[in-house]
Amino acid sequence: FDIPSIASAALHRNRMLSMSRYQQPQSSSRLFRFVFLPRMTEMERFMLKELGVQDDIIVESGNVLTASSSPSSSAISGGGGGGALNSLESVPIDLIPLDDDVLSLELSGGGGGIERLMDESTNNRSNSSNNSESDKGGGIGSASTAASLRHSEVEGCEADVVDVVARSLLKLQLLNQGGDGEGGRGGGESDVGVIGRVLGLGSLATAVIDRMMYLRLEEERMDAQAEEEEGDEYEYDDEEEDGGGEYNNEDDENLENAAVGVEAVATPPSTGGGTDNGNRQPPIQALLVIDRKIDLVTPMLTPLTYEGLIDDVLQIQVGGCVSVKKSIVQPDDQNEQQNQRGMAHDNNKDPKVLLPLNDSDPLYTEVRDKHVEVFGSFLQNQAKALKESHSQFTNRETARDLSEIHQFVKQIPVFTRNLRSLKNHIHIAELVKSAAEATSFRQRWQTERSMLESESQYDMLEDLIASGEPPYRWLRLFCLQSLTSNGIKATWYEFLRKEVVQTYGFEFLMVLNDLEKAGFLRKRETFFMDSMATSYSTLRKSLNLINAEVDPSNPDDPSYVSSGYAPITVRWVQAAMRGFLGLDEALKELPTSGGSGSGRRWIDIEQKSPPESLVEALKQDKATSLGVLAKKLSESTVQTGEQQDTKPVLLVYYVGGITYMEVAALRFLSKRPSFPYTIICCTTEIVNGETLLRSLSC
């Protein structure tokens, strides 16, 4: 996915061959291994050939395929030996658990040329801040860019993304214990793990489901072929035994006992009884695949949750950690701190530390989805509670026996860990809150809200670019204006395009072209009124995207994540519980494609065993809504006497990336008693507005 890295690897190989020709002219062929994560695409293989790297050995999923029998000679090595043998290897990576409820393929690519060109100019603006990434949203190596959307929309390699996601879904279903939903019953052993109910929103989502069902058919065909060959082999062995040798009945008994043992291990125990039911994760009963292109608005917005603001201000890196200056989370006394600042200014060095942000930190689990108006007071209350618990024991007026002292000593490591975590989050919260209280931050949020109300903000865009707004910050607003108003007026588009080139450089012409290709920007050639109905305005009214009455301190709606705006994809998840009732006009606004996935905007099918194709599944009668399905599952749980403390699981898979704003909103839904499912989020990568736009400029 990372074209610049491929070119750099090929250049490094050629340089090494050039050096070895002079150092060891009579040496044998050298082996160069090119390892691709998670897989090598045909486009990357073709590009390596163009750069002089032949595919002598190809390794895919542990299988070695030799493309040529003899090592290829390097074009630059001449006739003096030093040939090269190239091994192109694919190392597939499964879904990575970032949290208990978030899984990601982490299909992230490195920064491109535009990012590197702009690093110096943005670094100059950010030197006055507490952290060098706070103004520009990351520097070289601070965060990776999204890759799947660029790969499918800009480079036109949709099939590669679709195949990777479909195979990850197959592996999830192999791990799913008994997920035989309404459409997966009665299929025998082969339906164990199959997610019975599958929905897809967007053309890329339908393509993923189509590919997943095709792969299931292929696996079924290969299994049947393997069983047939195995049966022929057993028949041949029986003929040999009949022709000679003695028949041993004891061997048959041993084989039968072994088969019974294997079956007992392979068959999962019944969920109706047993002692470890409470520790078992409930099966995934439904799957909702979402194409990122059905909601390009949400990534352009500024999140207002603690985790979302950390990602927006400091950039959470791949794997769920953030890089901050050591002086921020571990401040010394005032004199030493001033000396360190002077040394850092002279040497332009400031050591940084990586802080993990995941479920391993209980405090972070509680505070990550809090609103910006709440998480400061929440951390303050946590500090008071920690101080009180410590002071109660250290009170000399209260007598303590040995058992209480022993319990306190056992809790010292936990107390120390909680205290360290609290200090770190207080320092990070101060940094994030200072950025959120800045005038520019509030002005940007108000501009975003005006655009969400379908108001034109062309004058504000002109003022921001004249004042030197960081390029990708400005592009987020520019794209938001286009997405919410059905494009940019032709006169304003040409004017602002010229301003971008004059302010940020001619390199951004390519960025603007790629944004147009991906659907973020559109020039509107029209003479009608600006208030005409648009695709976004239809969705805003049908899905009730704006809820200005929400209380961030005590929210009752997912729109609290942005102080009144609910992400479009989250509203679609809520609508799926009702079977999209009354949303016929909104469903027509979903993007469609004439390619794979039958070119449908959305699908709602049942997976059955034996597997069938998507075309056959679409011929079946329409099933009940997800809300009714959850009710039936709950009723069946009560009838069988199983535990009722957990809800069925809904897997929501974002193809093209998910934002922390959407993760917080989905967690809010999952925790509400009125919502019938527990939600697990899957995604190709974690994105925000900056990483998404930077990926399109690679």
Side-chain angles (χ1 to χ4, degrees):
F1 284 23
D2 193 356
I3 303 301
S5 296
I6 295 175
S8 300
L11 179 63
H12 180 66
R13 164 194 173 274
N14 294 338
R15 286 175 177 173
M16 292 184 65
L17 283 174
S18 178
M19 293 173 59
S20 63
R21 187 181 70 173
Y22 296 103
Q23 294 176 357
Q24 298 175 348
Q26 303 300 326
S27 63
S28 59
S29 299
R30 303 185 64 174
L31 175 63
F32 292 90
R33 300 177 62 185
F34 294 81
V35 182
F36 294 83
L37 301 175
R39 57 172 297 192
M40 177 186 62
T41 64
E42 287 299 320
M43 181 185 66
E44 291 165 336
R45 180 179 174 184
F46 177 78
M47 182 178 180
L48 284 174
K49 281 189 176 182
E50 291 292 320
L51 294 173
V53 181
Q54 300 297 324
D55 48 354
D56 302 310
I57 301 175
I58 301 176
V59 182
E60 293 185 358
S61 302
N63 300 321
V64 179
L65 306 175
T66 303
S68 59
S69 58
S70 60
S72 60
S73 300
S74 172
I76 64 172
S77 60
L85 186 66
N86 307 304
S87 175
L88 311 183
E89 306 178 12
S90 297
V91 180
I93 297 180
D94 296 333
L95 287 163
I96 301 172
L98 302 182
D99 279 314
D100 289 344
D101 56 351
V102 179
L103 305 173
S104 175
L105 288 173
E106 295 296 87
L107 300 182
S108 300
I114 301 296
E115 179 182 358
R116 295 187 179 98
L117 286 173
M118 293 307 301
D119 278 328
E120 291 186 5
S121 60
T122 49
N123 270 327
N124 294 333
R125 296 191 187 100
S126 60
N127 284 336
S128 59
S129 62
N130 290 330
N131 205 52
S132 61
E133 289 83 10
S134 59
D135 285 345
K136 64 188 181 67
I140 296 178
S142 63
S144 296
T145 58
S148 57
L149 193 64
R150 179 188 80 236
H151 205 59
S152 60
E153 299 300 328
V154 178
E155 298 173 356
C157 300
E158 176 184 305
D160 295 325
V161 177
V162 168
D163 185 73
V164 171
V165 175
R167 292 183 184 276
S168 69
L169 283 171
L170 285 182
K171 291 189 178 182
L172 271 179
Q173 293 181 88
L174 289 175
L175 298 176
N176 188 30
Q177 295 296 320
D180 48 355
E182 188 177 303
R185 295 176 183 171
E189 294 180 358
S190 60
D191 67 344
V192 174
V194 175
I195 301 175
R197 189 64 175 277
V198 180
L199 290 83
L201 295 174
S203 58
L204 199 59
T206 59
V208 166
I209 297 173
D210 188 10
R211 180 63 177 171
M212 177 186 68
M213 300 183 75
Y214 172 79
L215 291 175
R216 284 193 64 209
L217 282 171
E218 285 295 306
E219 286 187 356
E220 184 81 4
R221 183 186 62 81
M222 294 177 64
D223 290 343
Q225 183 178 358
E227 290 178 1
E228 183 179 352
E229 294 176 355
E230 187 177 359
D232 295 340
E233 183 179 352
Y234 284 155
E235 184 178 352
Y236 177 77
D237 292 341
D238 291 341
E239 292 178 357
E240 286 188 347
E241 291 179 359
D242 293 339
E246 297 182 357
Y247 180 76
N248 191 350
N249 190 29
E250 185 178 354
D251 293 338
D252 275 355
E253 292 181 358
N254 294 334
L255 288 174
E256 184 177 357
N257 293 333
V260 171
V262 170
E263 183 177 0
V265 174
T267 304
S270 174
T271 57
T275 58
D276 58 344
N277 283 342
N279 297 327
R280 179 171 298 168
Q281 179 74 9
I284 301 173
Q285 299 289 355
L287 167 66
L288 175 57
V289 185
I290 296 177
D291 183 358
R292 177 74 271 171
K293 285 202 69 177
I294 74 171
D295 180 14
L296 297 178
V297 173
T298 300
M300 301 299 105
L301 299 176
T302 302
L304 294 180
T305 60
Y306 180 61
E307 188 173 40
L309 280 172
I310 292 177
D311 185 48
D312 193 72
V313 175
L314 301 176
Q315 282 285 354
I316 298 178
Q317 299 183 15
V318 172
C321 59
V322 64
S323 175
V324 296
K325 293 182 179 180
K326 187 176 181 181
S327 59
I328 295 176
V329 295
Q330 299 177 8
D332 299 326
D333 57 79
Q334 187 174 3
N335 293 332
E336 293 183 358
Q337 190 172 1
Q338 290 178 354
N339 294 333
Q340 289 182 356
R341 287 178 179 175
M343 293 175 61
H345 180 73
D346 294 337
N347 300 329
N348 197 20
K349 293 181 180 179
D350 197 348
K352 294 184 178 181
V353 294
L354 287 176
L355 299 179
L357 301 176
N358 49 44
D359 285 332
S360 62
D361 187 352
L363 179 60
Y364 181 71
T365 303
E366 295 184 44
V367 74
R368 62 188 175 188
D369 298 327
K370 298 290 184 182
H371 193 269
V372 64
E373 298 179 2
V374 178
F375 65 71
S377 58
F378 175 82
L379 291 174
Q380 185 178 7
N381 294 334
Q382 292 292 319
K384 290 181 180 179
L386 198 62
K387 183 179 180 180
E388 289 177 359
S389 62
H390 182 265
S391 61
Q392 287 178 359
F393 185 85
T394 56
N395 188 2
R396 297 182 180 180
E397 298 179 359
T398 305
R400 305 289 180 184
D401 56 15
L402 291 178
S403 61
E404 292 178 339
I405 296 176
H406 179 67
Q407 290 296 328
F408 178 77
V409 171
K410 290 174 61 177
Q411 295 177 1
I412 288 179
V414 179
F415 177 83
T416 304
R417 183 172 63 251
N418 293 341
L419 181 61
R420 185 185 304 112
S421 173
L422 181 60
K423 287 182 177 180
N424 290 339
H425 286 295
I426 287 177
H427 295 310
I428 294 176
E430 290 176 348
L431 181 64
V432 170
K433 201 166 182 67
S434 62
E437 292 175 351
T439 305
S440 59
F441 183 92
R442 294 182 178 274
Q443 184 184 44
R444 185 169 67 251
W445 182 87
Q446 292 173 357
T447 304
E448 292 174 357
R449 180 50 52 88
S450 299
M451 292 178 178
L452 291 174
E453 297 286 351
S454 297
E455 298 179 6
S456 298
Q457 295 292 316
Y458 298 125
D459 293 332
M460 179 59 68
L461 290 173
E462 182 183 2
D463 294 340
L464 287 174
I465 198 172
S467 62
E469 183 80 357
Y472 288 98
R473 291 282 188 189
W474 186 88
L475 284 175
R476 286 170 63 173
L477 292 176
F478 192 38
C479 293
L480 182 62
Q481 180 71 79
S482 176
L483 293 168
T484 55
S485 58
N486 201 26
I488 305 293
K489 279 184 177 182
T491 54
W492 274 104
Y493 186 86
E494 295 299 334
F495 171 75
L496 293 174
R497 184 186 180 95
K498 185 185 298 182
E499 290 294 316
V500 167
V501 174
Q502 293 178 353
T503 305
Y504 303 128
F506 68 91
E507 299 89 355
F508 275 86
L509 277 176
M510 297 181 290
V511 178
L512 295 176
N513 291 335
D514 289 339
L515 291 177
E516 289 184 31
K517 188 183 299 185
F520 286 87
L521 289 178
R522 177 176 176 267
K523 183 167 65 172
R524 175 157 49 94
E525 298 283 358
T526 180
F527 299 98
F528 295 101
M529 298 176 60
D530 292 339
S531 59
M532 66 180 189
T534 63
S535 174
Y536 168 77
S537 62
T538 302
L539 293 175
R540 187 187 68 213
K541 296 175 183 178
S542 302
L543 299 178
N544 191 23
L545 299 180
I546 306 297
N547 182 11
E549 303 300 326
V550 66
D551 183 9
S553 60
N554 187 23
D556 58 355
D557 188 77
S559 58
Y560 86 96
V561 296
S562 186
S563 291
Y565 169 82
I568 297 176
T569 56
V570 177
R571 288 299 195 212
W572 279 122
V573 172
Q574 292 179 285
M577 302 300 109
R578 307 185 300 271
F580 307 112
L581 185 63
L583 295 176
D584 294 338
E585 293 299 323
L587 288 170
K588 293 179 182 179
E589 302 298 336
L590 293 175
T592 184
S593 174
S596 55
S598 303
R600 290 175 172 263
R601 290 185 173 90
W602 68 285
I603 57 175
D604 184 358
I605 62 172
E606 295 178 349
Q607 278 198 111
K608 297 182 179 180
S609 293
E612 58 185 0
S613 65
L614 177 61
V615 176
E616 294 296 326
L618 290 172
K619 295 178 181 179
Q620 307 298 326
D621 296 334
K622 186 177 180 180
T624 58
S625 65
L626 288 182
V628 175
L629 175 62
K631 185 177 180 181
K632 290 182 179 180
L633 293 172
S634 300
E635 291 175 354
S636 63
T637 301
V638 174
Q639 292 176 1
T640 56
E642 297 179 1
Q643 295 184 0
Q644 201 177 355
D645 56 345
T646 57
K647 298 184 288 186
V649 175
L650 170 65
L651 183 68
V652 181
Y653 205 127
Y654 282 74
V655 183
I658 188 175
T659 65
Y660 284 110
M661 183 191 300
E662 291 164 322
V663 171
L666 291 174
R667 282 175 178 152
F668 174 83
L669 286 180
S670 182
K671 294 177 182 178
R672 289 183 68 82
S674 59
F675 193 79
Y677 288 92
T678 297
I679 297 178
I680 293 180
C681 302
C682 273
T683 182
T684 52
E685 65 260 276
I686 305 291
V687 300
N688 58 30
E690 182 136 357
T691 57
L692 201 58
L693 296 184
R694 282 180 181 270
S695 70
L696 300 175
S697 64
C698 292

